[in-house]
Amino acid sequence: MANHLRFVGRTVMVQNGNVEAAYGVLNRILAQDGVADAVRRSRYYEKPSRARRRRAFEACRRVYCAEMARRIAFLARSARQDPWPGC
């Protein structure tokens, strides 16, 4: 097995002959890295206008998810003051 960084991050060890669990772990790693989506997208030609629309949508989704995570973390913090004291 190569010690190259490209291989180290996507290496899964099979323990006790449990190939199914290792396959699930590998699929999860590839999904998080976006490799499966890239392969699926490159299977067919994507028009430049559609690629721009997709990239813009992905950027908007990243911004939305980051903002939503920030708001949830703000509301879920444990030491926050009561917004309506006395109610």
Side-chain angles (χ1 to χ4, degrees), residues 11-28:
T11 302
V12 177
M13 302 302 290
V14 178
Q15 297 176 350
N16 300 328
N18 194 355
V19 178
E20 290 82 16
Y23 185 69
V25 170
L26 179 64
N27 277 339
R28 193 165 39 253

Side-chain angles (χ1 to χ4, degrees), residues 5-6 8-11 26-38 41:
L5 286 177
R6 190 175 73 200
V8 171
R10 296 179 184 146
T11 302
L26 179 64
N27 277 339
R28 193 165 39 253
I29 289 171
L30 293 178
Q32 287 175 351
D33 288 346
V35 174
D37 293 333
R41 271 197 314 270

Side-chain angles (χ1 to χ4, degrees), residues 5-81:
L5 286 177
R6 190 175 73 200
F7 296 111
V8 171
R10 296 179 184 146
T11 302
V12 177
M13 302 302 290
V14 178
Q15 297 176 350
N16 300 328
N18 194 355
V19 178
E20 290 82 16
Y23 185 69
V25 170
L26 179 64
N27 277 339
R28 193 165 39 253
I29 289 171
L30 293 178
Q32 287 175 351
D33 288 346
V35 174
D37 293 333
V39 169
R40 202 172 299 120
R41 271 197 314 270
S42 66
R43 188 173 295 164
Y44 301 108
Y45 176 75
E46 185 176 23
K47 286 183 166 181
S49 60
R50 286 211 178 236
R52 279 192 303 271
R53 283 178 57 195
R54 179 183 50 80
R55 286 195 302 265
F57 174 77
E58 290 171 355
C60 288
R61 182 177 171 137
R62 273 194 305 273
V63 168
Y64 175 81
C65 289
E67 179 67 18
M68 193 58 62
R70 189 185 67 80
R71 288 181 182 197
I72 290 172
F74 177 75
L75 290 175
R77 66 181 199 262
S78 59
R80 72 185 185 113
Q81 296 176 354

